[in-house]
Amino acid sequence: MLIKGLIVVQFGLAITLMIGTYVMQGQINFILNKDLGFNPENVVAVEINSELQNALKIGQLYSEEAQRIPGVLSTSITAGHYRDYSEYGVVDIGMAQMKSATTLSQLGDGIPSEAVDAQYLQTMDIELLKGVNFSKQANTFPSDEVIVNQAFVDAMGWDNPIGQILEDKPENQGWVGPFDGKKVIGVIENYHFKSLYDPLQPMVLQHIEAADQNPGTILIRLSSDRMSETISNLKSLWNSIAEQEAFNLAFMDDMVQRQYNEEIRWNRIIRISSMASILLACFGLFGLSALVAQRRIKEIGIRKVFGASIKNILVLISKDFVLLVVCGFAISAPVAWYLSNQWLTGFSYKIDLDALPFLYGGLTVLLIALTTVSWQSVKAALQNPVENLRNE
Amino acid sequence: MIKLRNIDRYIDKRLQRNFILKGIDLDIAEGDFVSIMGPSGAGKSTLLNIIGFLDDANEGEYYFLDEPVHGLNEKQKSEYHRSYIGFVFQAYHLIDELTVYENIEMPLLYRKVKGSQRKSMVADMLDRFNIVAKKDLFPNQLSGGQQQLVGVARALIGSPKLILADEPTGNLHSDQSKEIMETFKKLNKEDGVTIIQVTHSDEMATYGDRIINLQDGAVTENNPYEEE
């Protein structure tokens, strides 16, 4: 009885962890495969030191020259930083918080903003929903143009966003917000510039020259063919233009994935512990089933003599153990449901918790348990009953 | 009903072959009540097991109801075994965890008999052996004789044509032994059930119509009483 109780608890734990593994796997797959509104694949970010003199000039020169390299599809200069600080739990995918006020205060204190050039949308593969992009011709853009995302339009409640002038002037405070007087020329699809822990926010794109900001990154979209060759060409180009500066290149899809490093690591830990706990539970089960098969060896012999097939015997022996696993499931399902739900609340974008992980978790463990038990029960069922009934 | 021709059963050791049965020829007709006798180790139980499909001969031919058993596959064998044969053991071999009722019912579970039908068949059997009052008891709450009655009832529940009994009275007092033997005799005479029993006791052997003596794996005397 005590042994059975222990095995129920062990299986309860194993099933809980197994369900957890499936839920986490599901959520991680969901966030890694979710349409982010931009396409991070085959995009690399080359860091450029914004403290550098002539940083903009160097960036523009590099950007232009890079476009001539075969395998480079598009380049863009942005003021944002695309850096991986995942060891501190932070990954920057562009964007700076701009303090804003008044009219825009309904959008919150800080508005994420990025200073980019006209190739940004193309390089990031972001869809322009309404209006126009920044002009591609150098120095022809009026400095008061901005592009906003759909969330911005929704937050402002605009029916006709194009041509709207932003007011960003706190009353009686004597200072003017960074977006004051800017005209909306385009609306882009919402894209997730932050991890999926955070909800989509209203954001503003400015032209890097109009915003008078130094570049932080050159984004480059590559063709997927012969990528390493292209990258080594990009490196030589960098060395010829900015020989004093280190060439720092990062893949955007890696960075996006590293936002979830913690989750991926936890998933691995949970998966390994669930396997360990299944293994442990199965050791117990193996011993118990050996004991039971031994204790019932005479009964098995008698039943075989009176017509029981091998299948009948397997069912006979396994039935009780299935019951143990079912008990374990009954205990673990609510616990697993609670824990999974708790974990998922941290995400703004998450899977719906349905029955499938529970089903898979339970069935996986049941299958492993049955395999363990069948080792003993098949052995018992195959024995010649004469052998077991002889020495009485 | 049973025809054995030149049956050998042996175990191969490294350099020699140990025969348990050698060159057994035996005919048993339907309705016979046969007692197999012989000293320990003569191969009586092995012979019974081969007849009962629980063991296979190494050589020779075995016809059961004119069907060559040596040519049947496992599935067919277990089908024959299930439909035609009931076993009674010296040590009763009841299942300790099951009640008298459940023990008697057990063979029917493997014959796919319906629940309601099972109930009436078991009730008949309990009635026939006067153990209705004991149906909810467990085997260890019964005397040896009562246990063996349950064993016989279990062997009979599937209405077999052949009962194989391996020293059915070996563990019983003489009164109980007689009761079991009377039951067998009645079954044999009234229901025409063929019975083959292994026994050490001359007295029990005489309940049968025919005695077969086994010695060192061979039939030494067939029907000694008839010859006298």
Side-chain angles (χ1 to χ4, degrees):
Chain A
M1 201 58 220
L2 179 71
I3 296 175
K4 282 187 179 175
L6 213 61
I7 283 181
V8 167
V9 171
Q10 280 179 325
F11 273 101
L13 185 66
I15 292 170
T16 307
L17 289 167
M18 205 67 202
I19 293 170
T21 308
Y22 280 118
V23 170
M24 289 183 102
Q25 193 63 57
Q27 172 67 9
I28 287 168
N29 284 344
F30 172 77
I31 54 184
L32 291 184
N33 294 320
K34 182 170 167 42
D35 181 7
L36 297 173
F38 72 101
N39 180 5
E41 251 168 74
N42 301 337
V43 175
V44 294
V46 175
E47 198 182 319
I48 174 164
N49 183 355
S50 38
E51 307 291 308
L52 222 57
Q53 275 203 322
N54 300 326
L56 188 57
K57 285 271 172 301
I58 291 172
Q60 281 170 337
L61 179 61
Y62 184 74
S63 177
E64 263 166 49
E65 291 295 319
Q67 286 188 54
R68 297 183 217 280
I69 295 174
V72 171
L73 300 178
S74 165
T75 65
S76 167
I77 306 168
T78 92
H81 293 288
Y82 295 73
R83 278 189 207 138
D84 173 16
Y85 304 106
S86 54
E87 61 266 42
Y88 307 114
V90 180
V91 179
D92 276 346
I93 303 189
M95 291 298 139
Q97 291 286 95
M98 303 288 272
K99 197 160 171 59
S100 148
T102 58
T103 342
L104 294 182
S105 66
Q106 59 188 288
L107 305 182
D109 230 8
I111 292 184
S113 169
E114 175 101 328
V116 300
D117 66 7
Q119 277 96 259
Y120 181 72
L121 299 187
Q122 186 194 348
T123 307
M124 291 282 276
D125 200 2
I126 296 168
E127 197 185 342
L128 183 69
L129 298 176
K130 282 189 190 125
V132 294
N133 192 359
F134 298 118
S135 166
K136 287 202 174 159
Q137 277 172 311
N139 301 323
T140 59
F141 52 87
S143 65
D144 59 353
E145 291 178 346
V146 293
I147 294 173
V148 298
N149 67 355
Q150 183 62 42
F152 194 105
V153 174
D154 295 342
M156 298 300 286
W158 287 333
D159 289 330
N160 299 306
I162 306 301
Q164 296 276 0
I165 309 288
L166 302 182
E167 273 182 55
D168 193 10
K169 211 186 310 181
E171 264 177 79
N172 310 323
Q173 284 191 21
W175 67 278
V176 174
F179 302 116
D180 191 56
K182 306 277 184 193
K183 189 174 87 181
V184 175
I185 61 162
V187 177
I188 53 168
E189 188 187 4
N190 293 326
Y191 70 99
H192 290 276
F193 46 86
K194 287 190 171 178
S195 82
L196 296 172
Y197 282 112
D198 298 313
L200 277 166
Q201 275 175 280
M203 56 86 74
V204 178
L205 291 184
Q206 287 177 281
H207 198 287
I208 189 164
E209 290 182 52
D212 198 21
Q213 289 190 30
N214 272 344
T217 309
I218 300 159
L219 299 174
I220 305 170
R221 177 169 291 279
L222 306 175
S223 146
S224 53
D225 301 333
R226 308 208 290 176
M227 208 179 265
S228 60
E229 197 183 321
T230 312
I231 287 170
S232 80
N233 287 336
L234 284 170
K235 186 170 191 231
S236 346
L237 175 67
W238 178 263
N239 290 337
S240 70
I241 290 177
E243 49 194 323
Q244 306 294 320
E245 294 292 311
F247 179 69
N248 285 328
L249 176 142
F251 284 85
M252 185 91 90
D253 51 357
D254 281 353
M255 283 190 286
V256 168
Q257 184 173 334
R258 278 193 209 117
Q259 294 178 307
Y260 312 109
N261 260 2
E262 196 79 346
E263 286 69 39
I264 292 168
R265 193 165 58 234
W266 269 107
N267 186 35
R268 199 176 306 138
I269 291 169
I270 299 281
R271 186 165 50 217
I272 290 168
S273 355
S274 76
M275 279 168 187
S277 76
I278 289 173
L279 198 69
L280 214 65
C282 282
F283 275 132
L285 194 64
F286 188 79
L288 185 65
S289 64
L291 206 70
V292 167
Q294 191 51 46
R295 206 167 51 202
R296 297 179 79 169
I297 199 83
K298 191 185 116 187
E299 178 189 343
I300 291 167
I302 295 168
R303 286 180 185 270
K304 281 189 81 177
V305 167
F306 287 95
S309 64
I310 288 171
K311 202 179 84 195
N312 294 142
I313 300 296
L314 290 188
V315 171
L316 178 79
I317 299 285
S318 308
K319 209 171 54 189
D320 293 347
F321 295 108
V322 170
L323 202 69
L324 294 185
V325 176
V326 169
C327 285
F329 181 80
I331 295 172
S332 66
V335 177
W337 186 84
Y338 176 77
L339 292 176
S340 302
N341 241 344
Q342 284 297 106
W343 183 71
L344 284 173
T345 43
F347 292 90
S348 288
Y349 298 88
K350 56 187 176 239
I351 50 170
D352 292 326
L353 199 55
D354 57 12
L356 276 184
F358 293 84
L359 203 68
Y360 288 153
L363 284 182
T364 308
V365 173
L366 184 63
L367 212 69
I368 294 171
L370 276 182
T371 312
T372 308
V373 172
S374 68
W375 186 275
Q376 294 295 343
S377 49
V378 166
K379 210 167 78 180
L382 284 177
Q383 274 175 355
N384 187 343
V386 174
E387 304 289 325
N388 303 328
L389 298 180
R390 181 176 292 158
N391 303 319
E392 283 290 330
Chain B
M1 181 184 212
I2 289 165
K3 193 159 88 178
L4 298 177
R5 286 294 173 269
N6 210 15
I7 291 287
D8 286 352
R9 180 78 178 91
Y10 50 75
I11 294 167
D12 277 330
K13 293 245 171 89
R14 204 176 310 160
L15 289 171
Q16 62 185 40
R17 180 165 279 187
N18 284 2
F19 280 93
I20 302 166
L21 295 174
K22 189 162 170 53
I24 301 280
D25 290 326
L26 191 60
D27 289 278
I28 293 169
E30 205 158 347
D32 275 0
F33 186 166
V34 180
S35 302
I36 300 176
M37 299 192 72
S40 293
K44 303 184 298 289
S45 293
T46 305
L47 180 59
L48 207 64
N49 288 336
I50 288 175
I51 291 171
F53 300 82
L54 292 180
D55 200 356
D56 291 319
N58 297 95
E59 306 283 345
E61 295 172 352
Y62 172 18
Y63 298 89
F64 182 82
L65 295 169
D66 294 329
E67 191 77 40
V69 174
H70 45 272
L72 297 179
N73 64 29
E74 282 305 316
K75 204 171 166 206
Q76 290 167 316
K77 269 192 222 173
S78 75
E79 196 55 47
Y80 268 83
H81 163 166
R82 206 182 293 181
S83 330
Y84 295 112
I85 301 176
F87 287 86
V88 178
F89 299 94
Q90 176 179 7
Y92 329 128
H93 285 329
L94 301 178
I95 297 173
D96 298 333
E97 291 78 16
L98 302 183
T99 61
V100 166
Y101 183 98
E102 291 164 336
N103 263 291
I104 296 174
E105 185 188 28
M106 185 261 289
L108 297 179
L109 300 176
Y110 302 121
R111 268 164 234 238
K112 314 230 177 334
V113 180
K114 274 202 216 98
S116 54
Q117 204 183 342
R118 278 206 308 267
K119 221 168 171 176
S120 72
M121 286 168 86
V122 176
D124 278 353
M125 209 47 78
L126 289 167
D127 212 26
R128 184 163 166 188
F129 290 97
N130 283 321
I131 45 177
V132 179
K134 309 234 166 11
K135 72 181 168 65
D136 293 324
L137 297 181
F138 288 94
N140 57 17
Q141 295 169 302
L142 302 176
S143 72
Q146 287 166 337
Q147 288 192 49
Q148 193 59 297
L149 272 183
V150 175
V152 174
R154 179 181 60 182
L156 284 175
I157 190 92
S159 352
K161 283 189 183 311
L162 173 65
I163 294 265
L164 297 174
D166 195 351
E167 304 201 36
T169 59
N171 287 9
L172 300 181
H173 304 305
S174 57
D175 287 353
Q176 297 170 330
S177 301
K178 275 178 193 148
E179 192 186 348
I180 296 291
M181 280 302 129
E182 288 300 337
T183 309
F184 276 171
K185 199 162 180 88
K186 208 166 137 209
L187 278 172
N188 179 246
K189 292 285 172 274
E190 291 175 12
D191 301 309
V193 178
T194 311
I195 294 174
I196 305 175
Q197 67 160 340
V198 165
T199 183
H200 276 118
S201 149
D202 288 329
E203 188 191 346
M204 297 306 142
T206 52
Y207 281 89
D209 321 314
R210 212 178 127 187
I211 291 173
I212 293 162
N213 263 309
L214 270 187
Q215 198 117 34
D216 293 333
V219 177
T220 51
E221 283 176 285
N222 209 337
N223 307 340
Y225 291 87
E226 279 180 14
E227 283 165 14
E228 275 170 12

